Structures are given as C-alpha cells and as structure tokens.
Amino acid sequence: SQQGEEDPQALSIQEGENATMNCSYKTSINNLQWYRQNSGRGLVHLILIRSNEREKHSGRLRVTLDTSKKSSSLLITASRAADTASYFCARDYNTDKLIFGTGTRLQVFP
Amino acid sequence: DTAVSQTPKYLVTQMGNDKSIKCEQNLGHDTMYWYKQDSKKFLKIMFSYNNKELIINETVPNRFSPKSPDKAHLNLHINSLELGDSAVYFCASSQGGATWEKLFFGSGTQLSVL
C-alpha cells in the first residue's frame, strides 16, 4: 500500500512472551512514531524514533529503525494481558503530516 | 480533566442529514487534527489547523467542513451524510504541528449512517 505496511495484521501470544511488530515504509522519513489503541479508545503515543537513531527504549518497549531496509520494529518484552491493543506506526515521509497504517492487533492471553 | 475531548461519542443518523462533531483540547496546543478510522482500522488524516489556520486539507469531499473558532477548538461539520461516511472520527492535538511531536487523541466519535 502507498503508506507502507504493518505486520503481522494480528498476533496472539501468552503472557510473559515477547511480541514483535513490524512497520515498513516506502520512501525516506524524518520521524517515525509508535502508538497504541485500546478497543474503543483513542491512540496513545508510545515512542518516537528519528531517522538518525537506530534504537530506543522505554520500559518494556524497544523500538528499532533500519533505514536501509525502510523498516521499524516494536518489541514488547514480558507481555501482559493489559498490553492487548492495536499498535500503529506513523511515518512522516519528510512531509508535515504523519501517515498511519492499519496497525497490528495484539492479543495477550493470561 | 480529559486532555482532548470530543462529543458526541456515538452518532447515529440517516443518509442526507447534516451533523457536527465537536472537539476541545485543554493542553494549550497550537495544532489540532481530524482523523478518520475506517472499519479496517486504517487511520487517515483529514485536516489540521494551526492557531485557527487551515494547514492540511487532504482529499476530502467538500461536504466535510472543519471550523476552528479558537486554537482550543476544532469542530467538524458534515453535510448530506452518505453511507460511506460511517467510521470513527478522531480529534487530536499537538504542540506545534511538527512530526516529531506527540499527538494526543480524543476517544473518538463513532458515526453510523443508516
């Protein structure tokens, strides 16, 4: 798709396992952000990674950026049932707006 | 206090009607947005305003008209509603509008056009 892809579309894991979600993009970016959306709620910002950064951490979240592959990954370690949500990446494609995709739906079973 | 609040949360209406969704932010941000999320969860930007000035206007039918009376408010008016307008509409805000800034989202308005 024009905006890039997030994969997998859906992911089911057990509590305590790690969850990895991927985000690809088509052309160069300045910034890429990850958001979480709980069912029936608005999106909540998780982490920002800039094009000159390769990795960032925030608590149990680890985001990587590979500009040569035009992709980013979000890793949630030691997942909990409360991590169940949809996760979106947003790329700016060197423009003044953030382009979201369709997200990855994560289900964490207790 | 809710940072970005939008009303109503649910809106059910008939085709052809005109409806409005209101949004207010109390974060002191300069930039506000409207996004549309379809049934496949694809989230697409519609408009953005910075200090009451229209900045982004995506390819949206002119039946959709945003209005920003002040920088804390961005309302969305939709004329002659169509079945395809059914979606969840999210208001959001950010400090200045730069793409490295966090977006703060409202909880959404689920619009169902019958």
Side-chain angles (χ1 to χ4, degrees), chain B residues 23 32 49 51-52 66-76:
Chain B
C23 180
M32 296 184 72
Y49 271 73
N51 252 320
K52 304 192 297 176
K67 284 190 172 50
S68 183
D70 56 61
K71 74 173 194 177
H73 295 84
L74 180 62
N75 304 322
L76 184 65

Side-chain angles (χ1 to χ4, degrees), chain A residues 3 30-31 33 35 37 40-45 48 50 86 88 92 95-98 100-102 105, chain B residues 9 35 37 40-45 55-56 58 90 97-108:
Chain A
Q3 72 272 11
N30 284 322
N31 302 287
Q33 300 189 32
Y35 286 80
Q37 183 180 31
R41 307 300 298 272
L43 282 73
V44 174
H45 174 89
L48 159 75
R50 299 175 189 264
S86 292
F88 293 83
D92 66 1
T95 66
D96 59 356
K97 57 188 177 226
L98 289 173
F100 289 82
T102 53
R105 283 170 286 290
Chain B
K9 187 162 177 62
Y35 281 85
Q37 187 172 44
K40 295 182 179 176
K41 299 294 187 184
F42 175 48
L43 192 67
K44 182 173 167 53
I45 189 167
I55 301 297
I56 294 172
E58 289 295 284
F90 287 97
T99 60
W100 61 82
E101 295 168 352
K102 298 178 191 180
L103 292 176
F104 291 79
F105 283 82
S107 56

Side-chain angles (χ1 to χ4, degrees), chain A residues 47-101:
Chain A
I47 204 161
L48 159 75
I49 190 161
R50 299 175 189 264
S51 59
N52 61 353
E53 297 175 314
R54 292 297 165 257
E55 188 170 311
K56 286 188 84 169
H57 296 256
S58 176
R60 292 183 297 111
L61 305 181
R62 174 181 164 237
V63 167
T64 59
L65 181 66
D66 186 333
T67 53
S68 66
K69 294 181 180 176
K70 293 187 171 59
S71 70
S72 174
S73 291
L74 170 66
L75 168 68
I76 304 175
T77 59
S79 63
R80 305 167 182 168
D83 295 328
T84 294
S86 292
Y87 292 82
F88 293 83
C89 75
R91 323 105 167 124
D92 66 1
Y93 290 124
N94 293 331
T95 66
D96 59 356
K97 57 188 177 226
L98 289 173
I99 308 296
F100 289 82

Side-chain angles (χ1 to χ4, degrees), chain B residues 5-73:
Chain B
S5 58
Q6 54 183 109
T7 55
K9 187 162 177 62
Y10 301 98
L11 190 50
V12 181
T13 188
Q14 300 286 334
M15 270 175 45
N17 283 351
D18 302 338
K19 290 293 177 187
S20 292
I21 307 171
K22 295 186 175 182
C23 180
E24 175 182 4
Q25 55 96 2
N26 63 6
L27 297 167
H29 288 169
D30 288 337
T31 305
M32 296 184 72
Y33 310 80
W34 279 109
Y35 281 85
K36 178 181 179 181
Q37 187 172 44
D38 64 22
S39 58
K40 295 182 179 176
K41 299 294 187 184
F42 175 48
L43 192 67
K44 182 173 167 53
I45 189 167
M46 300 173 70
F47 303 101
S48 79
Y49 271 73
N50 182 284
N51 252 320
K52 304 192 297 176
E53 182 183 341
L54 181 65
I55 301 297
I56 294 172
N57 185 354
E58 289 295 284
T59 311
V60 176
N62 58 15
R63 299 181 294 104
F64 289 78
S65 53
K67 284 190 172 50
S68 183
D70 56 61
K71 74 173 194 177
H73 295 84

